[in-house]
Amino acid sequence: MVQARSAVNVAAAVTALLVCIASAPGVIRWLERRAVLDVPVARSSHAVPTLRGGGISPAVGCLSATALLVLLGTGAPVVAVAAVASAFGLVGLADDLYNVPARSRLAAQVAIALLASGAAVLITEPGGTLLGLLIVGIGAIWLVGYVNGFNFMDGINGISSVQALVAGLSWVAVGRWEDEPAVTAAGVVVAAGAAGFLPFNFPRARMFLGDVGSYFLGAWLAMSALIGVSLGISPVAMGAPLALYLADTSITLARRALRREPLTEAHRSHAYQRLVVHGWSHARVTVTVGAVIGACSLVGLAAVGRDWLGQLVGGAMIAAMAGAFIFLPTVLRGSQVPSRPTSHEGQ
């Protein structure tokens, strides 16, 4: 049985990877015809107009792999992840094509998140109406919060593909360790889809994920984490690969709020952006981010099956690593000459 599941997951991974790669040239031509460009502004991390909306390719890859899993009779839980990710992705695509106002996007995201959380509650039937409503609210806040955090962090070449790739691989290990096929399958698919997009976005970008890609991948990761925790997997293990993005976004927004700066305005205040300003190349920052996410993921994997003290220690170690990365630009302040970055993706 285990060998059969492994074979199916390998087939899904190959499908997601190859479909993403095969569809990318067509997506590039379609975006070129429609002139869907991310034009740099004063606070951008790129200097050259670049196609945005390339996230259609990994989305198509992940959805194709999900369809294969369903055909092979093992993909039912992943369908929920794919459905939520697709709904968020469509909102992002609309913004890439038509520049939808922020309030309209947020309203659509909240509606999708509430429907997803409500459906999950109806399926699991928790004891008590108040508990059900609480779970719906927490789930919706988590989905909307992480998707937007992922979008905010999607600012240099390769960074978000690496986030999705490492998180997916981490959950493959966690799912196998805990014998939860849904977590393993969701991790396999998103890791392969992200890997397929990397050659078109890193180290140099032929296209950016755009909102369609960042919303889709962000929602896929957020929903996968939600399902993993609902299945009884350690929140530390499921949250570890997402900790760096969450920490950088949360601290940056808190700083901007304290300074009374507009939270929705484009900026270069994230730790990874400040590293670029200090002179680090996009490749160097992305590799560093991937290394930190990987280290956090290993700690999360080690926390699987531990008692409350082990979970607490693991969480503290993950927080310390994420905090060290966020503090790194401050350490480097004044030691490097700022340089004008040359490419960018997202915020």
Side-chain angles (χ1 to χ4, degrees):
M1 184 61 144
V2 173
Q3 289 182 341
R5 283 205 304 255
S6 296
V8 170
N9 285 333
V10 169
V14 171
T15 299
L17 179 71
L18 294 183
V19 169
C20 178
I21 293 174
S23 65
V27 170
I28 289 174
R29 290 192 295 271
W30 184 74
L31 294 173
E32 286 175 338
R33 286 197 300 270
R34 296 185 64 95
V36 184
L37 294 172
D38 191 327
V39 180
V41 295
R43 294 189 179 185
S44 297
S45 296
H46 69 302
V48 178
T50 305
L51 295 173
R52 68 178 183 184
I56 294 172
S57 292
V60 171
C62 290
L63 294 177
S64 298
T66 301
L68 177 64
L69 289 173
V70 172
L71 287 174
L72 296 178
T74 63
V78 184
V79 171
V81 177
V84 174
S86 297
F88 273 96
L90 289 173
V91 175
L93 180 60
D95 186 46
D96 286 331
L97 296 178
Y98 307 112
N99 293 314
V100 179
R103 288 184 179 180
S104 299
R105 295 200 309 272
L106 180 60
Q109 291 173 0
V110 170
I112 294 167
L114 287 172
L115 286 172
S117 297
V121 167
L122 289 175
I123 292 171
T124 55
E125 297 182 358
T129 303
L130 290 178
L131 178 59
L133 290 175
L134 180 62
I135 293 174
V136 170
I138 292 174
I141 291 171
W142 162 248
L143 286 170
V144 174
Y146 187 75
V147 167
N148 283 284
F150 190 97
N151 186 46
F152 293 155
M153 289 292 292
D154 185 26
I156 58 174
N157 296 345
I159 188 170
S160 286
S161 294
V162 167
Q163 158 71 102
L165 172 60
V166 177
L169 293 176
S170 173
W171 291 338
V172 169
V174 170
R176 290 178 66 88
W177 186 283
E178 292 279 55
D179 193 25
E180 290 291 354
V183 174
T184 302
V188 162
V189 171
V190 76
F197 185 71
L198 264 177
F200 302 93
N201 183 246
F202 182 82
R204 291 189 176 184
R206 294 180 62 188
M207 57 180 171
F208 298 153
L209 280 174
D211 283 354
V212 59
S214 62
Y215 284 13
F216 181 91
L217 292 178
W220 188 288
L221 297 181
M223 193 65 183
S224 297
L226 202 59
I227 287 177
V229 172
S230 72
L231 291 172
I233 296 178
S234 159
V236 174
M238 294 303 299
L242 312 182
L244 179 59
Y245 262 37
L246 287 171
D248 197 347
T249 298
S250 300
I251 291 175
T252 299
L253 290 178
R255 284 174 175 170
R256 289 178 64 80
L258 289 173
R259 295 169 185 165
R260 298 185 179 180
E261 298 173 349
L263 299 183
T264 59
E265 185 178 273
H267 59 85
R268 296 166 68 185
S269 305
H270 287 282
Y272 76 90
Q273 292 171 318
R274 289 157 57 205
L275 287 173
V276 173
V277 170
H278 276 297
W280 283 31
S281 68
H282 286 211
R284 185 180 181 184
V285 176
T286 293
V287 169
T288 301
V289 167
V292 175
I293 294 173
C296 291
S297 299
L298 288 175
V299 174
L301 181 60
V304 173
R306 303 285 182 179
D307 59 14
W308 69 269
L309 182 58
Q311 299 289 324
L312 185 62
V313 171
M317 291 176 63
I318 292 167
M321 286 187 285
F325 174 81
I326 293 169
F327 189 64
L328 182 58
T330 303
V331 174
L332 297 175
R333 183 180 297 163
S335 64
Q336 297 185 18
V337 178
S339 62
R340 175 65 175 170
T342 57
S343 71
H344 157 83
E345 181 178 75
Q347 174 79 350

